[in-house]
Amino acid sequence: MSDQIMTMPHAAPRRGAPPAWRKPVLMGAPIVLLLTVFLVFPVGQLLALSVYNGQGFSLAPYQQLFSSSLYVTVLWITLKISLATTLVAVAGAYPIAYLISVTKGPAKSRLIFWVLLAFWTSFLVRAFAWVIILGRNGVINGTLMSLGIIDRPIDLLYGFGSVLVGMVHAMLPLAVMTMLAVMENIDRTLPRAASTLGARPGTAFWTVYFPLSLPGVAAAAIMVFVTAIGFFIVPALLGGRRETMITQLIIDQIQQTLNWGLAGAISVLLLTVVLAVFVLYDRVFGFATLTGETAGAAHNRDTAMRRLGGRVLGLLGAASDALIGLFPRRRPRGTGEMPSAGLRTLVWTMLVLISLPAFLMVPLSFGEAGLAWPPTGFSLQWYEQLFQSPLWMQALTRSLVVAFGTGLLSMAIGVPAAFLMVRTRMRGKGAMLAFILSPVIVPRMIIAVGMFYLFAQMGLVGTILGLVIGHTVVAVPYVVMTMTAVLRNYDTRLDLAAQSLGARPLAALRHVTFPILGAGMLSSFLFAFATSFDELTISLFSSGGLSATLPKQFWDEVTLQVSPVIAAVSTGLLVFVAVLIYAADRLRRRSLAS
Amino acid sequence: MSSSSLTVQGLAKRYGDFVALAPTDLVVADGEFLTLLGPSGSGKTTLLSLLAGLVPPDEGVVRIGAQDVTYAPPYERDIGVVFQNYALFPHMTIAENIAFPLKMRKIPEAEAKKRAQEALEMVHLPHIAGRYPRELSGGQQQRVALARCMVYKPSIILMDEPLGALDKKLREHMQLEIKHLHRELGTTVVYVTHDQEEAMTMSDRICLMNSGRIEQLGTPADLYFRPRTLFVADFLGESNLLPASLGPRLGDEAEIRLGSAGIPGRALANGQDLPPGSPVRVMVRPQNLNIARPSGDETAVMGRVSDVMVTGSLTKIYMQPLDAALPPLVAAFATRNEAEAIRIDDVMALSWDSRDAVVIADSGPAAMPATTAKAA
Ligand SMILES: Nc1ncnc2c1ncn2[C@@H]1O[C@H](COP(=O)(O)OP(=O)(O)OP(=O)(O)O)[C@@H](O)[C@H]1O
Ligand SMILES: [Mg+2]
């Protein structure tokens, strides 16, 4: 290092120092611009289309909406499925997230790897795997028949059960990741303190740990609910007519009848429900909990509710202690620092169940007989077909290009915004946060349809640029959230130290801030990359008829003609994601070690 | 009743290859106030956690009274713990925090409430019952943690730096409060602190720890005036450590020869049974040094004054001995109105009573004795 700047350069009074507002505005402007032009405007336009049909105002779409019971029924079904999914996914995710948060070392990395693998394995692959498992020639029917338990295949697909299974499977990893963010921040000494004060393990868990984890549960619940309510892959592939969800109706309006007015009206309906849920959430928990910040809003001194809650938790604690007391103590160890074997078995069983479906595609992709279970023979013909198909290869290239572009653009826009959110004090931060998170809040389908309309006006349909912009809109909130969490743990005094050692702000950024934040930035980039790589809803419309992305191509194949090539694609995707997670983890460790 | 004495035998804890606590023996008498003192990372919190049952030991036994509690869970030990980071429950009000242990003991709500309020008054925070921990300052949180621990009058209290965040005045007040409580309730207290002054004023005995083992265990005066190792001499207060070679024993004293010139003198043998001729160090506290004008007195060290500093009530004189093999000495005197007429560059002698000097085994300049320490 050069030793020329050992003394602190005295900040020379610069001519016309930039006004204090300039920096925050420069940092916040890109994201505000992006979301205004490509989210607020198109969604607003779509909603406006429900009352304005180009010539004048008309409430005809709403008359159509409420004239038959169809739409209200579908909305009701949608809510029912989303709620059930939320309940089951959150309950299932809790033990997994809990175990991860209390485990240390390599065991923890292993657990996280499997959750991440499930998280990043394409929704399409996972949903399609259930078609294979539950189908008439599927894994379950095949196994039961060969065991002689049944002699005719039973109908497992196309019902509420199959949709619920597929939805929970799709949402569970998201729930785990969201909850984990909160659970990792719970002070491990608190349950111990409770035990020194006389609380038995069950009571310590229910009266201390559980209430502290509730913001995580709430955040997970709302993330799952909102994602589920705007989801169409699972109900379309695994559901029957009676499991139609409202997003499928929107697709029908656009793709079949081009009825923009009605599509807008349905969107209004859907958006109203989602916003109502979010307002409720904000009132009870506060938005900030979504980014892992400790709840400042949990101030409710509403004693009647709190006392009731306390009673219930106390009873739960006493009950579980009684239950634990039934079992003889296995080892003469103090407070089990190690999580119990029962919990570990439960969680690993769940993780195997989550991962298994996608792995079933591997043997199928090498089989000769197509998609029927069990696979027979060995052949590489499906891979040959895949590599010789220009459609698939073009889709793959396009997806990689779009995902890479999305990663770069999201970082360029999201990182400054994260700095703005963490580093500066400003009024209206809560509103800004809500605005940044709005692409997550607004159901994806509404964004996709609104964007399609806008892109059609701008001539962006079917272009790579259009897809990159569209995907950036939905990926950028994740970049901001990840980077906010990273930055919040970053000691800003390091920057000041660097500056006091003579580094100018940009040099400090380059030599100190970025190297330390590297791992966080890498995972943000990968988050954006993977979001785009697996994005279907926006691509469904905006990729145009001919220039499909990989998920779009997958979707077309699955809905038009099911061929075993899909198993080969799924296997490829699975390997790709596994390698990506592994590499990211290695990189992260190396950057920590250096 | 001796039911709240603590006995530890061969207790050890490792994290992987790292020895957080080497096999340790320790007895804390019923009603005793014992302080764990030592540098950061020396294993104080580890020992405390083992006593409380928060982590299982790798080997060894912990007894409360006659009962083996080595693997008993914390909630069966009737031990109170004040945690280093307070560990207040963030989702409960202060009143609920303090009432928590009472609730666990199924004490009726009305009485719990009354006792919680009394505990709050004891720590001088009667008005904050309805607040949440994050709405308190660090010092207030610490006092609430104390109140939560004392409210159920456990027979043994373990405190991990309970006063670390308080300012000097409040700290002294709380020290008195804790001592008062200790005397009144006859509680056995194991107390962790970084502050040697605090350790000296509060403790019946001090247990000085260093890299996972007990370096020396004894009364504050034992540790201060009769340190057994260089580490102890160095850690507690200022000391002069002079290299010497050991001569023959004379009762509880031993003859010594200081420095390269072999200045003869005597010091307390301090229980060291090293063979004559061994290199040792002789420790004298600065306030035990006396000024002697150069008179050819053989028990004193001659030198040149290099600095004189008045530090409030004390005047410190730094002297470089003429024998270059001896390190600089520091002597401390009460500051008088007419300052002693000692100036820089004066040649003078510092002498001491042989009862004020002790022999310490020399383990090299690093002052890191590895094997000499074993708990009493
Ligand atoms: N869970 C753990 N895993 C690995 N090492 C640990 C763990 N807990 C403590 N240690 C190590 O054991 C040693 C002793 O730690 P301990 O907390 O007992 O120190 P301490 O004397 O209380 O220090 P301080 O005064 O800073 O609180 C430290 O070097 C610490 O790094
Ligand atoms: Mg400690």
Side-chain angles (χ1 to χ4, degrees):
Chain A
M1 293 286 343
S2 75
D3 54 358
Q4 49 191 356
I5 330 170
M6 286 310 288
T7 53
M8 180 167 167
H10 206 80
R14 249 178 284 156
R15 272 168 301 129
W21 51 262
R22 203 163 90 181
K23 211 164 114 191
V25 166
L26 281 179
M27 287 196 290
I31 198 165
V32 172
L33 212 65
L34 175 82
L35 296 186
T36 309
V37 177
F38 293 104
L39 181 76
V40 176
F41 178 68
V43 169
Q45 198 172 358
L46 176 63
L47 301 185
L49 282 171
S50 70
V51 289
Y52 182 77
N53 56 15
Q55 284 105 43
F57 287 94
S58 140
L59 288 177
Y62 290 94
Q63 278 163 4
Q64 200 178 344
L65 196 61
F66 292 107
S67 64
S68 80
S69 64
L70 171 71
Y71 298 97
V72 178
T73 310
V74 169
L75 179 65
W76 172 236
I77 291 171
T78 306
L79 285 176
K80 214 167 58 179
I81 293 177
S82 305
L83 268 178
T85 303
T86 307
L87 281 180
V88 180
V90 167
Y94 196 94
I96 302 181
Y98 176 77
L99 185 71
I100 294 177
S101 78
V102 299
T103 308
K104 290 191 211 92
K108 182 181 195 126
S109 308
R110 269 201 299 280
L111 285 166
I112 291 183
F113 176 85
W114 287 103
V115 174
L116 279 180
L117 187 65
F119 186 65
W120 286 129
T121 304
S122 169
F123 283 130
L124 280 164
V125 173
R126 284 187 276 160
F128 183 66
W130 285 107
V131 176
I132 302 292
I133 295 173
L134 301 175
R136 293 186 71 81
N137 300 320
V139 179
I140 293 183
N141 274 322
T143 313
L144 290 182
M145 295 233 286
S146 69
L147 289 177
I149 296 173
I150 52 172
D151 41 38
R152 261 183 305 135
I154 39 176
D155 282 326
L156 298 168
L157 266 180
Y158 312 127
F160 185 78
S162 57
V163 171
L164 188 63
V165 165
M167 291 290 270
V168 168
H169 185 220
M171 300 301 158
L172 196 97
L174 173 68
V176 173
M177 301 304 286
T178 318
M179 256 184 234
L180 191 59
V182 171
M183 286 186 179
E184 292 278 24
N185 287 331
I186 296 178
D187 185 352
R188 300 295 310 149
T189 56
L190 293 175
R192 292 165 161 210
S195 76
T196 68
L197 294 168
R200 288 166 177 281
T203 309
F205 175 82
W206 286 108
T207 59
V208 175
Y209 190 90
F210 184 73
L212 291 173
S213 70
L214 270 185
V217 173
I222 193 140
M223 291 299 286
V224 169
F225 182 79
V226 170
T227 316
I229 207 173
F231 212 55
F232 66 94
I233 297 173
V234 167
L237 290 185
L238 302 177
R241 192 184 294 277
R242 271 176 302 153
E243 287 77 34
T244 305
M245 285 177 68
I246 201 144
T247 40
Q248 293 169 270
L249 291 186
I250 301 182
I251 299 183
D252 287 348
Q253 296 313 317
I254 303 301
Q255 289 194 331
Q256 286 164 22
T257 55
L258 267 182
N259 187 343
W260 291 96
L262 189 54
I266 301 174
S267 301
V268 169
L269 197 64
L270 181 56
L271 201 56
T272 312
V273 172
V274 170
L275 286 182
V277 170
F278 261 94
V279 168
L280 193 70
Y281 178 89
D282 190 38
R283 290 290 289 277
V284 179
F285 297 102
F287 262 132
T289 52
L290 282 181
T291 51
E293 210 163 303
T294 41
H299 265 278
N300 50 349
R301 284 170 199 181
D302 170 22
T303 45
M305 266 309 275
R306 282 198 66 209
R307 233 183 276 151
L308 180 67
R311 285 271 149 71
V312 171
L313 290 173
L315 285 177
L316 274 172
S320 30
D321 282 326
L323 213 64
I324 294 170
L326 291 180
F327 296 95
R329 223 180 269 161
R330 277 166 299 110
R331 292 168 303 166
R333 291 267 131 149
T335 54
E337 270 294 275
M338 282 293 291
S340 75
L343 178 65
R344 272 180 295 160
T345 315
L346 172 73
V347 168
W348 276 111
T349 312
M350 282 169 43
L351 285 179
V352 167
L353 282 180
I354 291 173
S355 311
L356 205 58
F359 277 96
L360 287 178
M361 306 305 261
V362 180
L364 285 178
S365 71
F366 291 108
E368 276 172 343
L371 289 170
W373 192 264
T376 47
F378 179 86
S379 99
L380 292 174
Q381 55 171 317
W382 313 120
Y383 287 93
E384 274 162 33
Q385 276 191 30
L386 173 63
F387 287 114
Q388 279 158 11
S389 151
L391 273 181
W392 280 108
M393 287 298 111
Q394 277 166 17
L396 174 65
T397 323
R398 189 166 300 110
S399 267
L400 285 174
V401 171
V402 169
F404 203 76
T406 302
L408 291 183
L409 189 60
S410 312
M411 291 299 282
I413 293 177
V415 171
F419 268 92
L420 180 72
M421 296 308 288
V422 174
R423 294 281 173 89
T424 55
R425 300 176 166 280
M426 57 174 189
R427 275 187 298 158
K429 218 175 187 173
M432 179 80 175
L433 184 66
F435 184 56
I436 290 174
L437 292 183
S438 55
V440 182
I441 300 169
V442 178
R444 183 75 57 88
M445 182 57 67
I446 299 180
I447 303 179
V449 173
M451 224 175 239
F452 178 42
Y453 195 83
L454 178 70
F455 283 177
Q457 293 166 317
M458 297 171 74
L460 282 176
V461 172
T463 63
I464 298 236
L465 179 64
L467 286 174
V468 168
I469 292 177
H471 288 178
T472 300
V473 166
V474 294
V476 83
Y478 296 107
V479 170
V480 177
M481 277 198 276
T482 319
M483 286 309 292
T484 310
V486 171
L487 285 173
R488 203 174 286 125
N489 293 330
Y490 174 80
D491 187 349
T492 51
R493 282 172 306 180
L494 291 175
D495 288 345
L496 299 179
Q499 291 188 18
S500 78
L501 294 169
R504 291 174 176 285
L506 269 183
L509 213 59
R510 207 186 105 201
H511 292 294
V512 178
T513 319
F514 282 153
I516 297 178
L517 297 179
M521 298 187 52
L522 178 75
S523 56
S524 301
F525 175 84
L526 287 179
F527 218 119
F529 182 93
T531 304
S532 162
F533 199 69
D534 190 32
E535 211 294 327
L536 175 59
T537 321
I538 290 174
S539 313
L540 194 61
F541 303 108
S542 296
S543 66
L546 295 173
S547 49
T549 59
L550 203 57
K552 171 76 162 49
Q553 177 66 23
F554 197 112
W555 176 253
D556 289 345
E557 291 272 323
V558 170
T559 45
L560 299 181
Q561 80 198 71
V562 176
S563 105
V565 172
I566 287 175
V569 177
S570 302
T571 306
L573 283 175
L574 194 64
V575 172
F576 180 66
V577 168
V579 169
L580 216 60
I581 298 172
Y582 181 74
D585 192 51
R586 284 294 294 271
L587 271 172
R588 186 181 59 84
R589 271 182 224 195
R590 221 175 52 201
S591 78
L592 284 183
S594 64
Chain B
M1 57 157 201
S2 72
S3 65
S4 49
S5 67
L6 262 173
T7 312
V8 162
Q9 277 170 359
L11 198 65
K13 180 73 193 173
R14 284 178 292 274
Y15 292 109
D17 285 342
F18 181 79
V19 180
L21 187 70
T24 296
D25 300 331
L26 177 69
V27 177
V28 188
D30 188 14
E32 183 177 2
F33 196 113
L34 180 93
T35 296
L36 302 180
L37 184 65
S40 190
S42 56
K44 307 182 293 289
T45 300
T46 304
L47 177 52
L48 220 59
S49 312
L50 290 169
L51 294 178
L54 295 173
V55 292
D58 291 320
E59 48 188 271
V61 179
V62 180
R63 281 197 202 90
I64 296 178
Q67 197 188 354
D68 183 342
V69 295
T70 313
Y71 297 112
Y75 50 87
E76 284 173 3
R77 294 194 185 200
D78 195 32
I79 280 184
V81 182
V82 180
F83 286 83
Q84 194 162 11
N85 61 356
Y86 325 137
L88 298 180
F89 304 128
H91 60 302
M92 298 183 193
T93 63
I94 299 307
E96 287 167 340
N97 259 285
I98 297 179
F100 185 85
L102 303 176
K103 196 167 143 195
M104 291 302 116
R105 286 166 177 73
K106 309 242 175 343
I107 288 169
E109 212 165 306
E111 194 195 334
K113 210 166 164 182
K114 194 176 117 249
R115 278 171 64 178
Q117 191 57 34
E118 284 168 10
L120 272 177
E121 269 155 30
M122 189 186 69
V123 295
H124 300 271
L125 292 171
H127 305 302
I128 59 158
R131 289 206 217 159
Y132 284 88
R134 64 177 164 274
E135 297 166 337
L136 302 185
S137 74
Q140 289 172 327
Q141 291 184 22
Q142 210 156 39
R143 283 186 279 162
V144 172
L146 269 176
R148 186 178 69 178
C149 174
M150 289 169 172
V151 71
Y152 62 102
K153 303 191 170 63
S155 55
I156 299 174
I157 295 187
L158 312 178
M159 304 191 194
D160 201 344
E161 301 195 40
L163 307 181
L166 305 189
D167 63 47
K168 194 166 157 52
K169 199 157 161 227
L170 199 53
R171 194 181 173 102
E172 277 164 9
H173 174 82
M174 290 307 296
Q175 286 174 0
L176 281 178
E177 205 67 62
I178 291 172
K179 277 304 276 184
H180 180 76
L181 213 97
H182 167 240
R183 259 197 306 274
E184 192 162 298
L185 304 177
T187 318
T188 306
V189 177
V190 180
Y191 190 91
V192 172
T193 180
H194 266 123
D195 181 344
Q196 27 170 304
E197 216 171 291
E198 187 169 294
M200 303 280 249
T201 53
M202 297 185 72
S203 326
D204 295 325
R205 284 192 302 162
I206 294 176
C207 174
L208 184 59
M209 307 205 38
N210 181 27
S211 34
R213 57 185 80 239
I214 296 181
E215 191 80 20
Q216 188 171 350
L217 178 67
T219 63
D222 275 343
L223 265 72
Y224 189 75
F225 290 112
R226 290 174 290 282
R228 305 255 313 146
T229 66
L230 288 179
F231 178 85
V232 181
D234 220 37
F235 192 83
L236 284 179
E238 236 178 334
S239 57
N240 294 298
L241 291 162
L242 302 165
S245 86
L246 196 63
R249 290 280 289 264
L250 306 160
D252 64 347
E253 294 186 6
E255 280 197 18
I256 49 169
R257 294 190 169 274
L258 292 170
S260 57
I263 305 166
R266 290 203 299 182
L268 286 174
N270 200 20
Q272 308 278 9
D273 43 4
L274 298 162
S278 310
V280 292
R281 300 285 188 109
V282 173
M283 189 212 73
V284 194
R285 293 288 174 190
Q287 64 272 32
N288 290 338
L289 288 173
N290 307 308
I291 296 174
R293 294 285 154 195
S295 63
D297 186 342
E298 291 171 342
T299 62
V301 173
M302 293 261 290
R304 192 180 296 280
V305 175
S306 60
D307 219 339
V308 179
M309 270 178 14
V310 181
T311 63
S313 59
L314 283 182
T315 298
K316 286 186 176 173
I317 295 174
Y318 293 85
M319 185 190 86
Q320 178 61 54
L322 299 180
D323 181 351
L326 293 177
L329 294 184
V330 54
F333 308 93
T335 303
R336 304 267 167 67
N337 208 357
E338 0 51 282
E340 308 249 356
I342 290 176
R343 302 222 157 63
I344 292 178
D345 276 350
D346 281 0
V347 172
M348 57 177 271
L350 290 172
S351 67
W352 61 87
D353 189 325
S354 59
R355 309 296 302 176
D356 289 333
V358 293
V359 170
I360 299 174
D362 193 348
S363 52
M368 280 293 160
T371 52
T372 49
K374 179 78 188 168

